[in-house]
Amino acid sequence: HSALGAGDRQRALGWLDPKVVIFESGGAEMSREEYASHHLESDMAFVAATKTEVVDRQAQAAGDTAWVLSRTRTTGQFRDRPIDADGVETMVLQRDGGQWRIVHIHWSSYRRD
């Protein structure tokens, strides 16, 4: 998230496994390359323009697999639209050669109006 907010494309992509699967709003991006060419730029702009507070975060690991479950609240303004939303995020990571990479992300949010 810090890489997205800083607009650091290379660092953000560096966390993702080449075969990462990202689910969001009923859609799916099936690789790091697909995410980079479709939603990365708008995600960086959104994170930079808004403030996200982590309401709850839980993490667990078993061997070379870990998962992080987060609940968030995001506020601010993006593209002339007020943002006030609760969100959930699941990230699954795998360790390969001592390096953790994200292999799956599932983002979901809803407006608080």
Side-chain angles (χ1 to χ4, degrees):
H1 291 285
S2 65
L4 291 173
D8 190 338
R9 179 183 178 87
Q10 292 304 82
R11 189 165 53 111
L13 291 174
W15 281 102
L16 302 178
D17 186 84
K19 296 179 183 174
V20 67
V21 175
I22 300 172
F23 292 163
E24 182 176 17
S25 301
E29 291 171 318
M30 303 304 290
S31 70
R32 179 172 61 195
E33 183 178 317
E34 186 177 353
Y35 174 67
S37 68
H38 290 108
H39 287 109
L40 176 60
E41 297 299 323
S42 62
D43 283 353
M44 287 191 302
F46 181 83
V47 172
T50 59
K51 179 183 177 202
T52 297
E53 171 191 355
V54 175
V55 175
D56 181 57
R57 178 166 283 152
Q58 301 172 26
Q60 292 186 327
D64 290 330
T65 302
W67 52 98
V68 181
L69 311 174
S70 303
R71 291 185 303 129
T72 60
R73 178 157 186 211
T74 301
T75 56
Q77 182 123 354
F78 183 63
R79 297 184 179 154
D80 298 323
R81 193 177 92 217
I83 303 295
D84 188 3
D86 288 328
V88 293
E89 172 186 86
T90 301
M91 288 199 182
V92 179
L93 297 90
Q94 286 188 329
R95 183 171 41 199
D96 184 21
Q99 179 71 39
W100 288 99
R101 296 260 190 258
I102 300 166
V103 295
H104 177 62
I105 302 172
H106 191 164
W107 284 308
S108 177
S109 65
Y110 65 93
R111 295 180 58 97
R112 296 176 54 101
D113 3 54

